[in-house]
Amino acid sequence: MAGGARGGGIRNVPKVVWLLAAGTFVNMLVSFTFVYLFVYLTGQRGLGVPQAGLIAGAGGIGLVAGNFTGGWFGDHYGHRRTLLAGAFLSGLGLVALPVLPTPALILVLPLCQYASGTVRAANAALVAVSVPEGARRQGFAVHRFAANAGFTVGPPLGALLAAHYSYGWLFVADGLGTLAFACYAARVLPAHVARRHRAPVPADAPGLWTALRARPAVLVLLAAIVVVDTVYRQQYSTLPVFLADHGIGTGVYGWLLALNGGLILCLELPAAVGLRKRAPLKIIGIGLVLVGAGFGGLAAGAYIATAVLMMLLVTGGEILYKTPASAYVADSSPAHLQGRFQSLYAGASISGAVLGPPLGGALYSAAPGLLWPVCGALAALAGAAVLTAGARERRSMDKALLPFPSPSASPSPVPSEIQT
């Protein structure tokens, strides 16, 4: 599954992926509203914490639902159309959001987030169908580099905009940027290119669940990603609370996130190129185990040293698992299901945004000392499951490559034309 055009590093990444990555960078540069959403709702809108939590949670559910279903639209109507429709809908909703009455937010914000989720799934599918098998790790790494670079710069710019004007202008800037991304994508992704990737589906082509059952390693990977993403998202919810409860201030937490972003920008693309010939599930499994080791290490105590070590391990795990996992799912997908396979991975990879805060918060409130050992154990088990699935897959592939016995070695040779 990892064969194909292995050489050449990022030289095998097509121009269309670089163009899409450039647009994603600009789009992520202004995608800062969710970072400041809670502050906007409780401050400028004057909502209480429970009401703000309800609206923010509904938006998160919409985002996850968009990721899980965007690939279906792409497979049926085209990934380019799905991207454009989702970006236009999300952009228009965000621009209008500051002037809407507060009760309307419970409907409009999830709709905007749903559309944003379909864009994320369509982006991944477009990378998958544009890059040949064997070079997809590099393609996804280029796209992730652009997205991470934009998100690294975006929140500080959002803070400046909010400080000089108001938080409402963040939504306007995000919406206008998303609309600009839609116009740009319409320009760099011409319709004839999109049609070229939509070959006719054979009448006997398997459906989604039939294809997934035939690829048990993909199912194991998707389940493992849901578990690990729930653990991974603790760095945005319970980790800052844990540090503050032990006298470690917000400044240290900010530097930890900066360390994470800086290392990813510097190392993820070279790692994807350097490890492109390695078995993907082995690399992914090791990455998941590293994430578990990072969070589990916090059980040693709340110190700056343990927090830095935790972030180094988690970042190393993220570098190892995120890009190869996207590429592995793409390489495992039948051509007619590429969007839905990428949608499943996209949904799994963001599910922790909804599951992580309530589950982690509940455990931390009930038994603070158990949170980090449980996180470490869950991620380690997920990594072990992926490593086991990879070993089974390699054994199956080795069996498939074994030569058939010669006629002289068997008293009753099977005619070659009916061998299966």
Side-chain angles (χ1 to χ4, degrees), residues 264-301:
I264 288 173
L265 288 178
C266 292
L267 299 179
E268 184 166 15
L269 187 53
V273 174
L275 297 173
R276 66 188 184 278
K277 296 184 180 180
R278 302 291 182 179
L281 291 179
K282 185 174 183 180
I283 298 297
I284 296 165
I286 293 172
L288 302 186
V289 171
L290 282 179
V291 172
F295 282 104
L298 290 175

Side-chain angles (χ1 to χ4, degrees), residues 116-332:
S116 179
T118 65
V119 171
R120 186 170 181 265
N123 267 325
L126 282 167
V127 173
V129 301
S130 300
V131 183
E133 183 179 353
R136 285 187 174 128
R137 289 196 215 180
Q138 300 94 290
F140 279 106
V142 166
H143 193 261
R144 266 183 54 82
F145 176 85
N148 286 325
F151 186 71
T152 299
V153 179
L157 291 180
L160 289 175
L161 183 62
H164 285 82
Y165 298 99
S166 71
Y167 283 103
W169 282 103
L170 297 180
F171 294 92
V172 176
D174 194 345
L176 292 176
T178 304
L179 290 173
F181 173 64
C183 295
Y184 171 82
R187 178 75 174 177
V188 302
L189 299 174
H192 68 84
V193 174
R195 285 194 296 268
R196 186 180 65 199
H197 294 302
R198 295 185 65 205
V201 179
D204 60 346
L208 176 61
W209 297 115
T210 301
L212 284 171
R213 284 196 299 269
R215 295 159 176 81
V218 174
L219 287 172
V220 171
L221 175 62
L222 292 173
I225 294 299
V226 171
V227 172
V228 170
D229 198 61
T230 302
V231 172
Y232 174 82
R233 303 285 172 176
Q234 298 307 312
Q235 68 176 304
Y236 303 118
S237 55
T238 53
L239 176 62
V241 176
F242 169 74
L243 295 176
D245 285 348
H246 291 82
I248 299 177
T250 305
V252 173
Y253 175 66
W255 280 109
L256 290 175
L257 295 184
L259 177 65
N260 171 261
L263 289 176
I264 288 173
L265 288 178
C266 292
L267 299 179
E268 184 166 15
L269 187 53
V273 174
L275 297 173
R276 66 188 184 278
K277 296 184 180 180
R278 302 291 182 179
L281 291 179
K282 185 174 183 180
I283 298 297
I284 296 165
I286 293 172
L288 302 186
V289 171
L290 282 179
V291 172
F295 282 104
L298 290 175
Y303 308 103
I304 293 178
T306 55
V308 170
L309 179 60
M310 165 263 173
M311 190 56 75
L312 290 173
L313 289 171
V314 170
T315 302
E318 181 179 358
I319 288 170
L320 288 181
Y321 90 80
K322 287 204 171 183
T323 292
S326 300
Y328 176 79
V329 172
D331 287 343
S332 302

